[in-house]
Amino acid sequence: MGSSGINAEYMGSSGINAEYMGSSGINAEYMGTGSGKFRLHVTCLSFLAQHAKFKVWVKPNGEMSYLYGNHILKAHLGRITENTPAYQGVVVYSMKDIPLGFGVAAKSTQECRKLDPTAITVFNQADVGKYPRG
């Protein structure tokens, strides 16, 4: 696959290995490992980041947590695009404007202001942290 698109693997239990390249540029791979996990490999993040309407910036102390697959907590939220609605797709950036992945806003911008520091603000969907996780 080229440098743009989303690679997806589904880890199922049937023992089937299959790969699919759809017209949407999504590369899906089904692997029978029995773990029941679905992983996205983000290869088009720079393209998504350029066109994202809603963005979230993570503080440096929350970057590694996010890259290890965790959701973004209020304590780790640096900035969020004004008027982001709840359950809206967002691109996640470091405070240095480096795209790290994408997710779904758990709360709106207004709700985030009132949250407890341990509350989840963004659900992690996919991130570039596959590399630190190995």
Side-chain angles (χ1 to χ4, degrees), residues 55-59 61 72-80 95 112-113 115 121-122:
K55 303 174 185 182
V56 169
W57 287 263
V58 180
K59 292 179 183 175
N61 64 344
I72 299 173
L73 305 178
K74 167 68 160 91
H76 297 151
L77 187 66
R79 293 182 357 215
I80 185 169
M95 292 303 285
C112 285
R113 292 185 178 121
L115 288 176
T121 56
V122 177

Side-chain angles (χ1 to χ4, degrees), residues 10-130:
Y10 179 75
M11 314 297 198
S13 59
S14 70
I16 298 172
N17 248 348
E19 193 168 325
Y20 170 74
M21 174 56 132
S23 59
S24 62
I26 296 176
N27 186 1
E29 189 175 327
Y30 180 81
M31 300 173 67
T33 64
S35 66
K37 293 186 179 180
F38 185 79
R39 285 190 247 173
L40 292 173
H41 303 276
V42 185
T43 57
C44 64
L45 188 56
S46 59
F47 180 77
L48 289 174
Q50 289 175 13
H51 301 286
K53 184 174 180 182
F54 300 105
K55 303 174 185 182
V56 169
W57 287 263
V58 180
K59 292 179 183 175
N61 64 344
E63 283 181 26
M64 285 309 292
S65 176
Y66 179 72
L67 293 175
Y68 276 99
N70 297 315
H71 303 307
I72 299 173
L73 305 178
K74 167 68 160 91
H76 297 151
L77 187 66
R79 293 182 357 215
I80 185 169
T81 305
E82 196 61 37
N83 297 322
T84 300
Y87 308 112
Q88 176 64 50
V90 295
V91 174
V92 177
Y93 290 86
S94 71
M95 292 303 285
K96 296 179 181 178
D97 285 330
I98 299 169
L100 300 175
F102 59 88
V104 176
K107 305 288 182 182
S108 68
T109 302
Q110 291 75 19
E111 291 171 316
C112 285
R113 292 185 178 121
K114 304 172 195 169
L115 288 176
D116 179 63
T118 60
I120 295 173
T121 56
V122 177
F123 299 118
N124 185 344
Q125 296 290 305
D127 59 71
V128 296
K130 174 187 178 206

